[in-house]
C-alpha cells in the first residue's frame, strides 16, 4: 500500500476511535447525571421522566383529570403574577415541573420539600407545593438570580425576599409591620449553613422575612429592593443592612411611595 494511503487509513481509524470514545464518554456522562442528579436531568428533559407539557414551560405528570390540570395551571398563573407584580416584569422563564403524586416527585429527584429551584433555572413542585405561595417562592429565587447576573447575596436575604414576594402568611403578618417573629440577629449567609439551620428551625424563614420586609418597608418598598438588585448586578457589594425597630417602620414592604399594591 502506498505511504499516502496508509497515512490516510490511519487518520480515518484514529478519527473513528476518537469519535467512538467521545460518544461513550458522553453517554456515560448523561447516564451518571441521570443517576446522581435526577432533578437536573428531569428539568433538562421532562418528557424523559414521563412528564407531559400542559403549556409552554409547564410540565406535569400525565393522565391528570381536567380538575387537576386546572388546579395546576391556575396555581402557576397566580404564582407568576405575584412574581411579575413584585419585580415589575420578568427576566426569567424557568421550566416548571409539577407532580401530584409522591412517586412522580421521587422519580424526578425530589425529596421531602414542597418545592425547589434547580440550579436557579428551573422549578420542581411536589404534591404539597402546588400552591401559588410555594410556587411563587421558588420562582422568586429564579427571578432574583436572573436579575443578579451572577452576583451573590446572603442566603438569608434570598430566602427572606422569596417569602416577601410570595406573600407567605406562614411567615408574614398581613399588614403594617409584617414581622411575625422579630429578629435582628445575624442569619445564615451561605446556602449550606441556611439549609442546616432551617432544617432544625423552620421559623428561620420568618426571621429572614422580618429582616427583609422591615428593611424594605423603611426604605421605599419594592422599588428599593429592585434598585438594590440592579446595583448588585453591576458589581456593587451587598450593603450592611441595619435592622430598624418595629416602631421605626413607617410603611409595609408591599408599599411604594405611600401607595399599596396588590400581590
Amino acid at each position: 500500500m502506498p505511504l499516502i494511503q496508509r497515512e490516510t487509513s490511519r487518520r480515518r481509524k484514529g478519527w473513528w476511535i476518537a469519535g467512538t470514545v467521545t460518544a461513550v464518554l458522553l453517554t456515560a456522562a448523561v447516564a451518571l447525571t441521570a443517576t446522581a442528579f435526577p432533578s437536573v436531568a428531569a428539568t433538562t428533559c421532562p418528557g424523559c421522566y414521563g412528564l407531559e407539557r400542559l403549556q409552554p414551560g409547564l410540565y406535569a405528570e400525565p393522565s391528570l383529570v381536567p380538575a387537576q390540570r386546572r388546579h395546576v395551571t391556575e396555581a402557576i398563573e397566580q404564582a407568576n403574577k405575584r412574581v411579575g407584580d413584585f419585580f415589575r416584569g420578568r427576566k426569567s422563564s424557568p421550566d416548571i415541573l409539577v407532580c401530584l403524586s409522591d412517586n412522580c416527585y421521587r422519580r424526578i429527584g425530589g425529596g421531602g420539600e414542597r418545592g425547589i429551584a434547580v440550579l436557579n433555572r428551573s422549578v420542581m413542585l411536589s404534591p404539597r407545593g402546588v400552591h401559588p405561595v410555594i410556587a411563587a417562592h421558588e420562582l422568586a429565587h429564579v427571578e432574583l438570580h436572573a436579575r443578579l447576573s451572577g452576583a451573590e447575596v446572603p442566603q438569608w436575604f434570598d430566602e427572606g425576599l422569596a417569602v416577601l414576594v410570595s406573600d407567605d402568611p406562614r411567615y408574614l403578618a398581613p399588614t403594617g409591620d409584617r414581622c411575625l417573629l422579630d429578629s435582628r440577629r445575624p442569619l445564615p449567609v451561605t446556602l449550606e449553613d441556611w439549609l442546616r439551620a432551617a432544617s432544625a428551625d423552620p421559623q428561620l424563614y420568618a426571621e429572614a422575612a422580618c429582616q427583609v420586609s422591615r428593611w424594605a418597608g423603611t426604605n421605599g418598598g419594592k422599588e428599593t429592593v429592585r434598585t438594590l438588585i440592579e446595583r448588585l448586578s453591576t458589581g456593587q457589594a451587598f450593603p450592611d443592612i441595619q435592622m430598624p425597630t418595629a416602631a421605626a417602620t413607617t410603611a409595609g414592604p408591599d408599599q411604594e411611595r405611600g401607595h399599596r399594591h396588590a400581590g
Side-chain angles (χ1 to χ4, degrees):
M1 179 184 293
L3 178 61
I4 189 169
Q5 290 182 344
R6 288 201 300 268
E7 290 299 324
T8 300
S9 178
R10 287 173 185 170
R11 284 198 297 269
R12 288 174 178 171
K13 185 177 181 181
W15 293 337
W16 181 85
I17 293 173
T20 302
V21 170
T22 300
V24 170
L25 291 176
L26 286 174
T27 301
V30 170
L32 178 61
T33 299
T35 302
F37 307 103
S39 58
V40 176
T43 54
T44 302
C45 180
C48 299
Y49 284 75
L51 302 182
E52 65 177 14
R53 193 177 82 158
L54 299 187
Q55 58 190 41
L58 177 59
Y59 300 85
E61 59 184 300
S63 303
L64 299 184
V65 300
Q68 290 174 315
R69 294 171 67 94
R70 187 165 54 251
H71 170 61
V72 170
T73 56
E74 288 178 354
I76 300 307
E77 286 173 2
Q78 293 175 37
N80 278 323
K81 186 177 186 307
R82 293 189 187 201
V83 176
D85 286 351
F86 189 96
F87 287 102
R88 193 174 287 169
R90 297 287 294 277
K91 291 194 174 181
S92 64
S93 55
D95 283 344
I96 304 171
L97 279 58
V98 178
C99 282
L100 294 183
S101 70
D102 291 332
N103 285 338
C104 167
Y105 197 59
R106 283 193 296 268
R107 187 169 62 251
I108 66 174
E113 69 279 343
R114 288 180 170 84
I116 188 171
V118 181
L119 300 179
N120 292 315
R121 291 198 297 266
S122 304
V123 167
M124 298 190 334
L125 298 176
S126 76
R128 298 181 300 123
V130 189
H131 187 281
V133 168
I134 306 302
H137 183 110
E138 303 306 332
L139 290 170
H141 286 312
V142 178
E143 181 66 21
L144 170 62
H145 286 271
R147 290 171 177 264
L148 286 173
S149 302
E152 298 291 335
V153 295
Q155 193 62 32
W156 66 264
F157 182 85
D158 197 335
E159 297 294 345
L161 180 61
V163 172
L164 187 61
V165 172
S166 64
D167 199 23
D168 195 329
R170 296 173 299 172
Y171 307 122
L172 288 169
T175 58
D177 176 35
R178 305 193 67 187
C179 291
L180 291 180
L181 186 59
D182 199 331
S183 172
R184 285 182 287 277
R185 65 169 175 147
L187 297 175
V189 173
T190 68
L191 176 59
E192 181 181 2
D193 289 343
W194 176 271
L195 292 175
R196 181 168 53 250
S199 64
D201 180 15
Q203 287 305 308
L204 202 63
Y205 286 93
E207 292 191 60
C210 174
Q211 294 199 12
V212 174
S213 65
R214 189 169 285 172
W215 168 79
T218 57
N219 289 280
K222 298 176 188 176
E223 186 61 39
T224 294
V225 176
R226 291 191 291 264
T227 299
L228 171 62
I229 295 170
E230 184 176 350
R231 288 174 178 171
L232 293 173
S233 71
T234 65
Q236 294 189 29
F238 190 84
D240 180 16
I241 296 177
Q242 298 296 319
M243 292 301 106
T245 63
T249 304
T250 58
D254 56 345
Q255 293 178 291
E256 292 183 358
R257 307 183 187 280
H259 300 282
R260 291 192 62 81
H261 291 259

